[in-house]
Amino acid sequence: MVKLKGLISVIVILFALVYLTNCNDNEKSDTKKNQNLTGYVQKGPFLNGSSVTVYDLKNDLTPTGNSFNSQISDNKGSFELDNITLSSDYARLRADGFYFNEVSGKQSSSQITLYSLADISGESAINVNLLTHLEKSRVEYLMNSGKKFAESKVQAQREILGIFNIEKNDMKSSETLNLAELGEDNGILLAISSIIQGFRSESELTELLSNMSNDLKEDGTIDNAALGSMLINDAINLDTVAIKTNLAKRYAEIGTTANIPIFGKYISNFIAKTDFIITQIPFSYPESGEYGDNILSLTKTTYTGGYQTTHSLAAQIARGTSLKIRISSIFTNGDTGIIIKPVWYRTAESELNWTFGDFDFENYTQTFSTIEGGKSCDLKMFFELGSFKIEYFEMNALVPTRTKIITCE
């Protein structure tokens, strides 16, 4: 009996030693010593001084409570963290700051927050962008449903691309993409970033990203029709040439060269194939305005002329759009052989969202340009008897997108 007890004791001790050894080995294998992380934060690029925080995660993506802080060190959005200790292969990055808006060509007036959820095993470069941000909630949901991290990342990215009617089976992971480098995948990032940015303020962008993330979380699709309409409403008005020019100019100003990828074709493809419904027409010209019949109406060509009748120069333009109108007098020969050059007049201080050039007395023309998109435009005008050519230049067009001849009798 004594020998048996002794044998049992030895077995228990050996088991305990093996257990403790395994635990120690697991702890060592779960801890990543001296991890270095670098990357870029891009909406457009975040500005120098913006903050970056890396959160330590367990294998199930729950936080350990440890975090590491850094700052973006230049206006390219670069950041670096050295010798940080993480508990697993996974980390969550959060960036808070101002950024360069590639659509408007200006710096943001307030800060936004973007996230990235990444596998950092064997990786030292992890970027933060709109794709990594939108993937986060979906990846967490998929992992809670039993999927592996890598599988969840691939599925979430594929679903987000599908929202914009993009199919690409060999797409690189979102945290490796850079909108300032050539490459098809980088072009996809820039296209999606531009569509989501649209003509929104920072608060509107933050709200849209939050609503999209919540909608995507459980099924990977955008089920809220209003969200989809917001995307297509802005996509149809994007100026891809201006976006590319804005980014190239910005990088040149900060002393570096960017190779802006081709991206316009993905925006065009989204516009052509999406099922989202356009709910905001870029340009509309009502039949009448505050001051009478609208000279810009697309259905009316005959008006009452003279100084007793007022007319409106009225339009409704969507956010992010611009409109220029050119009015020209049509010369006619009078009964006495004198060339008749009818003119028009505007009433001072009646202009609503219009600015105008000087009257060209040589050609009898004048241009009227909108000041801001997303607002109504109107102006009180008088026209002499005669005919006039109205030319519409929508979205900074170099040639008229519409033309009509009106007669004032």
Side-chain angles (χ1 to χ4, degrees):
M1 178 66 72
V2 174
K3 291 182 178 179
L4 181 59
K5 289 182 178 178
L7 179 61
I8 292 173
S9 298
V10 171
I11 292 173
V12 169
I13 292 172
L14 290 174
F15 178 79
L17 288 173
V18 170
Y19 175 78
L20 290 173
T21 300
N22 288 337
C23 287
N24 290 334
D25 288 343
N26 287 337
E27 289 176 1
K28 291 178 181 178
S29 64
D30 286 344
T31 301
K32 310 296 178 183
K33 296 291 186 180
N34 301 323
Q35 181 76 36
N36 298 328
L37 287 181
T38 62
Y40 295 97
V41 182
Q42 296 174 328
K43 165 53 220 61
F46 269 47
L47 306 187
N48 192 359
S50 298
S51 66
V52 176
T53 305
V54 176
Y55 295 93
D56 186 29
L57 302 178
K58 299 177 183 178
N59 283 318
D60 61 358
L61 303 187
T62 57
T64 66
N66 296 327
S67 62
F68 309 88
N69 299 315
S70 182
Q71 283 189 331
I72 289 174
S73 58
D74 56 36
N75 287 320
K76 295 186 294 183
S78 309
F79 69 90
E80 181 176 357
L81 294 100
D82 296 327
N83 298 321
I84 61 175
T85 302
L86 300 176
S87 302
S88 74
D89 289 336
Y90 311 124
R92 183 173 76 242
L93 284 72
R94 169 177 171 156
D96 299 275
F98 297 89
Y99 66 96
F100 178 76
N101 183 328
E102 72 278 11
V103 176
S104 70
K106 301 176 182 178
Q107 296 179 13
S108 67
S109 57
S110 58
Q111 300 187 46
I112 65 169
T113 298
L114 294 181
Y115 286 99
S116 181
L117 194 59
D119 182 346
I120 49 86
S121 60
E123 296 287 344
S124 61
I126 303 296
N127 297 335
V128 184
N129 51 58
L130 283 196
L131 283 179
T132 65
H133 183 88
L134 288 176
E135 289 173 1
K136 176 181 173 292
S137 296
R138 180 61 174 155
V139 169
E140 292 170 339
Y141 182 87
L142 290 172
M143 285 195 67
N144 288 334
S145 301
K147 291 183 179 291
K148 300 295 185 182
F149 182 83
E151 182 183 8
S152 300
K153 284 279 287 183
V154 170
Q155 180 175 335
Q157 184 191 69
R158 184 176 65 249
E159 291 167 342
I160 292 170
L161 296 187
I163 295 169
F164 299 92
N165 299 90
I166 298 172
E167 294 183 14
K168 195 171 190 299
N169 295 326
D170 60 346
M171 183 84 173
K172 295 178 182 178
S173 59
S174 300
E175 59 270 19
T176 67
L177 303 180
N178 188 332
L179 53 75
E181 295 179 355
L182 296 177
E184 189 173 1
D185 296 355
N186 295 325
I188 290 173
L189 169 64
L190 180 52
I192 292 175
S193 294
S194 299
I195 292 170
I196 293 176
Q197 173 64 70
F199 306 97
R200 279 171 262 281
S201 65
E202 292 76 48
S203 61
E204 290 171 332
L205 174 62
T206 296
E207 181 180 24
L208 175 61
L209 288 172
S210 178
N211 290 336
M212 288 182 67
S213 295
N214 290 334
D215 200 340
L216 282 164
K217 182 177 179 179
E218 295 187 4
D219 61 8
T221 62
I222 294 296
D223 303 308
N224 185 330
L227 292 180
S229 291
M230 291 174 67
L231 296 175
I232 188 59
N233 284 345
D234 278 9
I236 60 176
N237 295 322
L238 291 176
D239 185 338
T240 57
V241 174
I243 291 171
K244 182 175 181 178
T245 301
N246 290 340
L247 281 172
K249 181 181 178 182
R250 173 60 177 172
Y251 279 99
E253 288 174 346
I254 62 177
T256 188
T257 300
N259 295 310
I260 310 302
I262 296 172
F263 68 100
K265 62 182 181 180
Y266 302 109
I267 297 177
S268 298
N269 181 72
F270 173 58
I271 294 171
K273 295 183 178 180
T274 187
D275 291 328
F276 297 142
I277 298 173
I278 297 173
T279 57
Q280 186 178 36
I281 299 173
F283 302 93
S284 62
Y285 307 99
E287 291 298 303
S288 61
E290 182 176 351
Y291 305 108
D293 290 340
N294 183 17
I295 293 298
L296 300 181
S297 167
L298 301 180
T299 61
K300 189 176 179 64
T301 57
T302 302
Y303 297 84
T304 301
Y307 302 107
Q308 302 302 316
T309 304
T310 63
H311 302 288
S312 275
L313 189 75
Q316 177 65 51
I317 64 174
R319 293 192 312 170
T321 62
S322 62
L323 173 66
K324 182 175 75 174
I325 299 296
R326 183 165 64 200
I327 302 177
S328 303
S329 175
I330 297 179
F331 301 167
T332 58
N333 289 320
D335 294 338
T336 61
I338 299 175
I339 298 177
I340 298 174
K341 302 176 180 179
V343 295
W344 54 90
Y345 304 90
R346 61 175 178 81
T347 300
E349 300 181 355
S350 69
E351 60 271 10
L352 175 65
N353 203 32
W354 286 113
T355 184
F356 37 84
D358 293 334
F359 186 88
D360 181 347
F361 284 96
E362 180 178 354
N363 299 299
Y364 275 59
T365 64
Q366 189 175 22
T367 59
F368 302 79
S369 301
T370 56
I371 298 173
E372 185 177 355
K375 292 187 175 182
S376 297
C377 315
D378 207 344
L379 177 64
K380 185 178 182 180
M381 302 187 73
F382 303 84
F383 284 79
E384 291 184 346
L385 302 182
S387 296
F388 306 85
K389 180 167 69 172
I390 312 294
E391 296 173 291
Y392 306 67
F393 297 82
E394 299 167 332
M395 291 301 295
N396 298 313
L398 298 178
V399 296
T401 50
R402 305 173 188 271
T403 301
K404 76 168 184 173
I405 304 295
I406 67 169
T407 300
C408 294
E409 302 175 337

